[in-house]
């Protein structure tokens, strides 16, 4: 019975009569390899049906062509477009993405960053808010995408949450709402969106009908989830039943808000308008039709990927912060008052 073990980089090197380092150079498409040796290695790869191991290539050569991406939470659909943008900006340079959720293995006390460093990734993208205890070696290029928390030597590409929160308030005021509510949780993005929303209310002064515009907020000591939206909206309407519009910290929280409104026998938008944030696929669903602030996460991903490539090429570049301007996407969950 034949050997069914998969071929290794050493098998390819032996078949081609070269070193494993040279095989790695061929896999990296290095111009330093002669055509004769390149042909021998490629022939050996085909004959042995060899599937390259990223770890083996990085150990044998000088570059892994791998970027580690650390997400806050796989359940948050905000990351879908972010990863799309990252892939678009990095794949043309031959880089691959390896993705991990920083909460997935919390019980094992294992940091995804440590795992990525052991893989010799060429750079890291921290998508969301960096852990305050996160330590990344100075030699590893890092970009924070979507979050605003400071991380030494890291560039930042993020949405302008203050502008987005203000945009949400302005939209509701233009529709004639004068008693606005906010529902959010514990995150830097939620805090910034709340701050922008309050600024929009202050700037709005009197609504379109001449009445004074006021806002009330419920911020729960919890993550910004659908359950936060349910609990927070019930509390908001219990304490302030005259609220006619709710701004939720993100789209999944907005779904929870809509559920709580329905639980009370009220309708969206006939009785209460609802606006979310991030413009995720949930918001764009024809069934939901949620008005949302588009944080342009695909552009954040593209920008983060481009900046990471620049930092890989020149580690001495000064750190930068780029804020992407959000935009309003009006759908059927907000209506004239």
């Amino acid at each position: 019975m034949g050997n069914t073990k998969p071929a290794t980089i050493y098998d390819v090197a032996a078949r081609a009569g070269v070193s494993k380092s040279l095989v790695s150079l061929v896999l990296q498409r290095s111009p330093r390899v002669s055509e004769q040796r390149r042909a021998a290695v490629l022939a050996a790869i085909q004959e042995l049906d060899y599937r390259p191991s990223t770890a083996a290539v990085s150990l044998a050569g000088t570059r892994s062509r791998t970027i580690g991406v650390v997400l806050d939470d796989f359940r948050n659909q905000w990351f879908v477009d972010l990863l799309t943008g990252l892939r678009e900006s990095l794949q043309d340079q031959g880089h691959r993405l390896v993705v991990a959720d920083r909460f997935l293995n919390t019980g094992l006390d294992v940091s995804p960053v440590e795992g990525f460093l052991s893989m010799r990734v060429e750079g890291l993208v921290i998508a969301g808010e960096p852990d305050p205890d996160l330590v990344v070696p100075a030699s590893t290029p890092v970009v924070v995408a979507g979050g605003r928390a400071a991380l030494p030597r890291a560039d930042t590409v993020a949405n302008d949450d203050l502008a987005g929160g203000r945009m949400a308030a302005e939209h509701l005021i233009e529709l004639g709402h004068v008693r606005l509510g906010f529902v959010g949780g514990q995150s830097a993005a939620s805090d910034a969106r709340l701050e922008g929303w309050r600024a929009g209310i202050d700037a709005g002064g009197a609504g379109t009908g001449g009445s004074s515009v006021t806002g009330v907020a419920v911020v729960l000591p919890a993550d910004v989830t659908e359950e936060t939206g349910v609990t927070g909206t019930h509390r908001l309407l219990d304490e302030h039943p005259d609220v006619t519009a709710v701004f939720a910290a993100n789209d999944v929280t907005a779904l929870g808000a809509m559920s709580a409104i329905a639980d009370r026998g009220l309708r969206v938008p006939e009785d209460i308008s609802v606006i979310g944030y991030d413009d995720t696929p949930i918001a764009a669903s024809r069934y939901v039709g949620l008005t949302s602030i588009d944080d342009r996460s695909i552009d954040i991903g593209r920008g983060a990927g481009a900046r990471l490539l620049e930092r890989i090429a020149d580690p001495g570049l000064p750190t930068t912060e780029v804020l992407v301007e959000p935009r309003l996407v009006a759908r059927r969950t907000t209506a004239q008052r």
Side-chain angles (χ1 to χ4, degrees):
M1 194 169 181
N3 184 6
T4 58
K5 290 178 61 178
T8 68
I9 194 170
Y10 297 97
D11 297 328
V12 173
R15 176 67 65 90
V18 299
S19 69
K20 67 179 186 300
S21 297
L22 192 136
V23 174
S24 179
L25 289 174
V26 171
L27 294 171
Q28 296 172 43
R29 301 177 183 176
S30 171
R32 294 185 292 158
V33 182
S34 70
E35 287 304 316
Q36 181 179 0
R37 289 191 170 186
R38 186 187 308 279
V41 170
L42 292 177
I45 288 173
Q46 185 173 7
E47 292 168 8
L48 296 172
D49 193 25
Y50 172 63
R51 296 291 183 269
S53 160
T54 301
V57 172
S58 64
L59 288 171
T62 57
R63 300 190 64 180
S64 68
R65 294 282 181 182
T66 301
I67 303 299
V69 183
V70 181
L71 304 182
D72 269 347
D73 190 340
F74 274 125
R75 295 170 298 179
N76 192 333
Q77 291 199 8
W78 174 81
F79 297 119
V80 174
D81 283 345
L82 177 81
L83 291 173
T84 299
L86 273 174
R87 187 180 68 247
E88 288 180 2
S89 62
L90 294 171
Q91 67 182 2
D92 287 344
Q93 302 298 318
H95 290 81
R96 60 177 65 84
L97 300 181
V98 181
V99 183
D101 179 338
R102 70 187 178 102
F103 293 118
L104 198 58
N105 293 320
T106 302
L108 300 178
D109 196 26
V110 175
S111 166
V113 171
E114 293 177 4
F116 286 148
L117 295 177
S118 70
M119 294 171 60
R120 300 190 180 184
V121 295
E122 291 193 17
L124 288 171
V125 175
I126 309 299
E129 298 301 325
D131 189 315
D133 299 324
L134 178 64
V135 177
V136 179
S139 59
T140 303
V142 185
V143 173
V144 176
R148 300 288 295 279
L151 192 63
R153 301 176 304 279
D155 297 294
T156 300
V157 181
N159 172 251
D160 191 340
D161 293 303
L162 286 171
R166 183 172 181 136
M167 196 175 293
E170 290 171 347
H171 172 64
L172 295 173
I173 293 170
E174 287 171 1
L175 290 174
H177 296 275
V178 295
R179 187 62 163 160
L180 313 183
F182 173 88
V183 175
Q186 300 298 305
S187 79
S190 178
D191 292 345
R193 292 165 187 179
L194 171 58
E195 183 180 347
W197 176 79
R198 284 174 168 155
I201 290 174
D202 291 342
T208 55
S211 300
S212 178
V213 180
T214 59
V216 288
V218 171
V219 179
L220 299 181
D223 293 334
V224 277
T225 64
E226 186 172 354
E227 187 57 36
T228 297
V230 172
T231 304
T233 303
H234 275 304
R235 181 180 300 178
L236 176 72
L237 296 178
D238 282 342
E239 298 173 359
H240 308 281
D242 55 343
V243 163
T244 63
V246 174
F247 171 40
N250 63 15
D251 288 346
V252 293
T253 305
L255 284 184
M258 292 170 68
S259 177
I261 291 167
D263 288 345
R264 304 170 84 93
L266 300 172
R267 299 167 299 165
V268 175
E270 290 85 354
D271 299 309
I272 300 179
S273 287
V274 176
I275 182 170
Y277 206 111
D278 293 336
D279 196 34
T280 61
I282 290 174
S285 163
R286 292 185 181 182
Y287 180 76
V288 178
L290 175 66
T291 295
S292 185
I293 303 298
D294 180 6
D295 65 354
R296 297 172 57 195
S297 52
I298 192 168
D299 292 323
I300 293 174
R302 289 170 180 151
R307 185 56 183 172
L308 188 62
L309 290 176
E310 292 173 355
R311 182 156 293 283
I312 289 172
D314 185 358
L317 289 173
T319 58
T320 59
E321 180 183 76
V322 176
L323 295 183
V324 177
E325 187 72 15
R327 56 192 172 209
L328 172 73
V329 181
R331 297 190 179 92
R332 65 172 180 267
T333 60
T334 51
Q336 197 78 31
R337 185 64 182 171

